[in-house]
């Protein structure tokens, strides 16, 4: 009779037991539990997060510096203009050098969209610092004849002295390019140099000309002076022209035929700004390489996080066993260690993003660039760290959740 009553009592209690459910951790509780594990091992956390920080800082800095450099280059292109074309004398079908007609500039000016046209020409004149220097020692400086409108067409500037004037282009005076002045040891105007056996006065020194850097290494004299003192025949070597931006390609298509109607193939037409644009493309390839190195650093940081989490699981088996004995579910344990891994990676990612942005701003400012840190690089860096955190913490979290409470409590 008593046994029957006891069975009935157990049956009445059974439904109540089936209604018992383990408590669920709120997101706030999960963050607090995950943060406790990090605070207890601060030195290890800092060293592990450092690997992530280095990888993210490298990637953000590489992208930021590349974008800053490219923005500076594009600003220079806008300032210098992309509507400058050059036409140079080439070779005929037999391989012999050809001469551009003396009237080439006037012919180019007849093209409707052309706004400015000018020319330079090679001159056979050996340059020496003084008559005491042997003629064969030219210091790597050549002579070219130039028209008075050359500087305005190219957008060049005079660093010291003056440019060739309508009166000065008839006289034995010269304007030196920036590199030519340095090679000859000329630091101020009024000094003289030797061109063949003629003493020539330096009236100006140019700033570097970015679109036509070859002019930095020459000494420029006027066309009339070149004909009078150095036997120049008056045929230009290079024609420079500027047209409207919208008509650059149209002018490019007819420029060679206009300069040399019967032998257009002997005229080489180019756009100097294409070289700067090619530089931007080269910088982009280098950026891809550096991003790859940053990704390797990030991968190494992720391995460090995974290693830290695995060691943490091994060291905290008794803690895991105690929590499981007190009612923590396997899912709660998994979330705890996965949250620790995410917080550790996020700490390294945020620090790395700040370091990368600071490095970009500092270097860009030192170079005189406008600092550019694309928002997508910061967002992408943080997203990458979270992904690393999930991947690095997944195995340790699963391993921790599979520990049996009895085995974990007996671990030493």
């Amino acid at each position: 009779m008593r046994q029957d009553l006891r069975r009935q009592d157990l049956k009445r209690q059974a439904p109540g037991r089936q209604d018992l459910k383990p408590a669920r951790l709120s997101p706030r509780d999960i963050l607090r539990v995950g943060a406790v594990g990090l605070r207890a091992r601060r030195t290890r956390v800092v060293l592990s997060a450092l690997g992530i920080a280095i990888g993210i800082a490298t990637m953000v800095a590489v992208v930021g510096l590349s974008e800053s450099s490219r923005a500076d280059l594009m600003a220079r292109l806008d300032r210098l203009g992309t509507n400058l074309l050059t036409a140079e004398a080439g070779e005929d079908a037999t391989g012999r050098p050809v001469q551009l007609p003396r009237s080439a500039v006037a012919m180019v000016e007849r093209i409707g969209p052309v706004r400015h046209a000018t020319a330079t020409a090679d001159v056979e004149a050996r340059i020496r610092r003084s008559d005491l220097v042997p003629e064969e020692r030219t210091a790597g400086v050549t002579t070219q004849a130039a028209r008075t409108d050359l500087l305005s067409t190219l957008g060049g500037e005079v660093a010291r002295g003056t440019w060739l004037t309508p009166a000065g282009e008839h006289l034995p005076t010269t304007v030196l390019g920036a590199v030519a002045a340095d090679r000859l040891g000329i630091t101020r105007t009024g000094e003289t140099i030797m061109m063949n056996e003629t003493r020539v006065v330096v009236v100006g020194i140019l700033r570097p000309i970015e679109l036509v850097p070859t002019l930095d290494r020459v000494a420029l004299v006027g066309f009339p002076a070149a004909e009078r003192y150095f036997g120049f025949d008056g045929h230009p070597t290079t024609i420079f022209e500027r047209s409207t931006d919208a008509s650059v390609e149209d002018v490019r298509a007819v420029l060679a035929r206009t300069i040399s109607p019967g032998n257009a193939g002997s005229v080489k037409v180019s756009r100097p700004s294409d070289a700067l644009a090619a530089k931007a493309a080269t910088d982009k390839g280098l950026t891809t390489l550096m991003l790859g190195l940053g990704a390797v650093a990030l991968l190494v940081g992720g391995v460090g996080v995974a290693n830290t989490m695995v060691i943490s699981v091994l060291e905290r088996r008794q803690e895991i066993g105690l929590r499981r004995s007190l009612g923590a579910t396997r899912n709660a344990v998994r979330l705890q260690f996965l949250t620790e891994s995410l917080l550790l990676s996020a700490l390294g990612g945020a620090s790395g993003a700040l370091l990368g942005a600071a490095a970009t701003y500092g270097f860009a400012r030192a170079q005189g660039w406008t600092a550019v840190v694309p928002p997508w690089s910061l967002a992408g860096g943080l997203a990458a760290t979270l992904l690393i955190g999930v991947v690095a913490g997944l195995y340790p979290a699963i391993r921790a959740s599979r520990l049996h409470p009895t085995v974990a409590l007996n671990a030493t």
Side-chain angles (χ1 to χ4, degrees), residues 93 230 282:
F230 309 113
T282 303

Side-chain angles (χ1 to χ4, degrees), residues 209-282:
I209 301 177
E210 294 183 270
L211 282 180
V212 192
T214 54
L215 294 180
D216 294 339
R217 298 183 291 273
V218 303
L220 299 166
V221 298
F223 267 70
E227 294 180 14
R228 180 178 179 181
Y229 297 102
F230 309 113
F232 173 54
D233 59 8
H235 290 274
T237 304
T238 305
I239 307 294
F240 301 94
E241 72 81 28
R242 282 193 186 272
S243 57
T244 58
D245 293 333
S247 59
V248 171
E249 294 303 323
D250 293 334
V251 173
R252 191 174 190 170
V254 301
L255 189 59
R257 294 197 301 270
T258 302
I259 294 174
S260 183
N263 193 14
S266 64
V267 180
K268 298 181 293 184
V269 179
S270 62
R271 183 160 58 174
S273 58
D274 289 344
L276 293 178
K279 181 181 178 182
T282 303

Side-chain angles (χ1 to χ4, degrees), residues 317-364:
R317 284 182 292 181
Q318 289 186 341
E319 174 192 332
I320 296 169
L322 181 59
R323 290 200 64 210
R324 294 280 283 118
S325 300
L326 294 176
T329 63
R330 290 185 175 183
N331 187 49
V333 174
R334 278 196 298 267
L335 284 177
Q336 174 187 350
F337 283 89
L338 193 58
T339 301
E340 285 189 27
S341 178
L342 284 171
L343 290 175
L344 180 56
S345 298
L347 176 63
S351 302
L354 291 176
L355 287 174
T360 299
Y361 277 97
F363 188 83

